[in-house]
Amino acid sequence: MRLLHTSDWHLGRAFHRVNMLGAQAEFIGHLVTTVRERGVDAVVVSGDVYDRAVPPLAAVELFDDALHRLADLGVPTVMISGNHDSARRLGVGAGLIGRAGIHLRTAPAACGTPVVLGDAHGDVAFYGLPYLEPALVKDEFGVEKAGHETVLAAAMERVRADLATRAPGTRSVVLAHAFVTGGEASDSERDITVGGVASVPAGVFDGVDYAALGHLHGCQTITERVRYSGSPLPYSFSEAGHRKTMWLVDLDAEGAVTAERVDCPVPRALARVRGTLEDLLADPSLAPHEEAWVEATLTDAVRPADPMARLAERFPHTLSLLFDPDRAPDDPDVSYARRLAGRSDQEIAEDFVAHVRGAGPDERERTVLRDAFDAVRADEVLREVAR
């Protein structure tokens, strides 16, 4: 069976105020063409179909168009909700849509109920594990501690229990939306840390033939059977080095996996350039970036006059302008943003405690801080889902 694995469409999202809807529509067309021309037997979409719980109308219309085009192909599609989606909204009409071969899996309670498709070698069971927000699903899975690993492990127990009841030789595919250990994050993914931990071990997916992952925006191979497709389009300059692709996965009669990357159309290259303004305007090695979307970091000791206008003369698609003067890290003029770069909310809070009282928090106090951050983040999720 040949699968096309994709995820993280983020329909409705902009890139530094650039409307990406046209590029997203081009990707949908590319997806449909790939399914038709490469003999795809099933499409799997591993979450974050939309960029937010209540997407703009244009994004909903594009999703509707995608559903119709996929259904017209007669090729089954399995989709799950991600942490950016509203599971309830995405799942509306799932029963009716399923009759057209588009299978939406958004309910945690249905993790152990697969979509079963067949080929010449028998059945393939597709299990959809939507994004499992620990604070919201721990009761459903009967776990005491609300953590990503515990709820995902409980969901996988249901998958294995169902798989054990099926005919010998039944192959299995799991769709999941999570941060798996070994994956490389980018700046455009929403933080899902709970209790100071964001990731889960790849071993949680042991026992299935293929785990089609979503959430991280870079295409990655965690193991031969556990892969991220990544987002089809860039959504931050941290993705400048990404090659945007989908996975074309073949499952043979024994469940062995072979995979090929299929490139996605990208509207414009990304480039990150750094230096003084005069150097950026004169450096001949930067010529290949003149038509790219550019993030420029200026290192001038004194902020130059009209930097964006001057940069735009050479790089007309400059979207982000940062200032980072070359100074020693202990220089008092180093910016607050630079001092905080790469630090988590927990680390910043602990540093603040140390600053105001002369000593950092002890383990009990760290736990209090972690619980507070987890409660705030879970409350934000609840409020967004309730909108």
Side-chain angles (χ1 to χ4, degrees):
M1 183 171 286
R2 172 163 285 186
L3 318 175
L4 187 63
H5 168 199
T6 177
S7 72
D8 295 274
W9 296 357
H10 288 279
L11 300 181
R13 186 166 185 163
F15 180 76
H16 287 267
R17 300 177 302 282
V18 174
N19 189 320
M20 296 289 278
L21 203 65
Q24 291 168 341
E26 186 178 357
F27 161 70
I28 295 299
H30 172 67
L31 171 71
V32 171
T33 298
T34 302
V35 171
R36 184 174 57 247
E37 295 183 351
R38 299 299 300 271
V40 171
D41 299 306
V43 177
V44 295
V45 186
S46 299
D48 281 354
V49 174
Y50 291 122
D51 188 55
R52 58 181 188 262
V54 184
L57 179 59
V60 177
E61 291 173 337
L62 180 55
F63 180 58
D64 181 65
D65 177 64
L67 293 183
H68 279 86
R69 295 173 73 178
L70 288 168
D72 287 345
L73 291 173
V75 175
T77 299
V78 185
M79 295 184 174
I80 61 171
S81 50
N83 62 300
H84 280 250
D85 300 308
S86 165
R88 290 184 179 179
R89 286 186 173 86
L90 189 63
V92 168
L96 288 173
I97 295 171
R99 297 179 186 178
I102 309 293
H103 305 280
L104 299 174
R105 291 294 184 263
T106 63
C111 285
T113 304
V115 176
V116 181
L117 306 176
D119 64 7
H121 305 293
D123 289 343
V124 180
F126 291 78
Y127 297 90
L129 279 55
Y131 172 66
L132 302 174
E133 173 58 44
L136 304 184
V137 303
K138 66 183 182 69
D139 292 337
E140 166 63 34
F141 292 107
V143 299
E144 294 183 3
K145 184 179 179 181
H148 288 292
E149 183 176 354
T150 54
V151 298
L152 195 53
M156 284 300 300
E157 286 179 7
R158 295 188 184 184
V159 168
R160 295 187 190 95
D162 180 84
L163 193 56
T165 68
R166 300 195 173 270
T170 298
R171 291 155 291 163
S172 54
V173 175
V174 166
L175 289 73
H177 197 86
F179 190 164
V180 174
T181 304
E184 183 177 344
S186 63
D187 293 343
S188 50
E189 296 118 8
R190 184 178 294 169
D191 181 26
I192 60 171
T193 300
V194 174
V197 179
S199 64
V200 300
V204 77
F205 299 107
D206 287 350
V208 298
D209 294 309
Y210 185 69
L213 302 182
H215 180 57
L216 300 185
H217 288 185
C219 182
Q220 301 172 59
T221 300
I222 305 300
T223 72
E224 286 304 304
R225 296 184 182 275
V226 180
R227 299 172 187 261
Y228 283 98
S229 67
S231 61
L233 293 166
Y235 293 113
S236 71
F237 276 103
S238 66
E239 300 169 57
H242 288 186
R243 174 187 165 198
K244 295 301 183 181
T245 60
M246 302 177 285
W247 283 114
L248 194 65
V249 177
D250 287 314
L251 278 181
D252 72 8
E254 305 302 321
V257 171
T258 57
E260 171 192 348
R261 292 178 71 175
V262 178
D263 289 294
C264 296
V266 177
R268 194 177 295 278
L270 305 186
R272 294 176 120 172
V273 298
R274 179 185 177 90
T276 66
L277 179 59
E278 294 303 326
D279 286 345
L280 295 183
L281 294 177
D283 188 349
S285 70
L286 300 181
H289 303 320
E290 290 176 353
E291 293 304 315
W293 279 326
V294 168
E295 177 185 78
T297 300
L298 299 185
T299 60
D300 301 76
V302 177
R303 186 175 301 219
D306 299 322
M308 181 62 91
R310 294 177 64 191
L311 277 170
E313 293 177 3
R314 184 179 188 189
F315 307 104
H317 304 289
T318 301
L319 300 181
S320 176
L321 179 59
L322 307 175
F323 294 92
D324 187 18
D326 283 334
R327 295 186 175 119
D330 57 353
D331 190 311
D333 290 330
V334 170
S335 73
Y336 182 66
R338 183 174 175 183
R339 293 198 300 271
L340 297 185
R343 301 183 67 76
S344 68
D345 291 341
Q346 176 87 14
E347 291 169 330
I348 294 169
E350 291 180 10
D351 285 351
F352 176 75
V353 172
H355 173 72
V356 296
R357 79 176 186 192
D362 59 26
E363 189 54 42
R364 183 186 63 81
E365 292 167 330
R366 290 191 185 93
T367 300
V368 170
L369 286 171
R370 275 197 300 271
D371 290 346
F373 282 120
D374 289 348
V376 169
R377 194 184 56 78
D379 182 64
E380 289 174 348
V381 172
L382 278 169
R383 285 189 283 109
E384 185 166 350
V385 169
R387 287 175 61 194

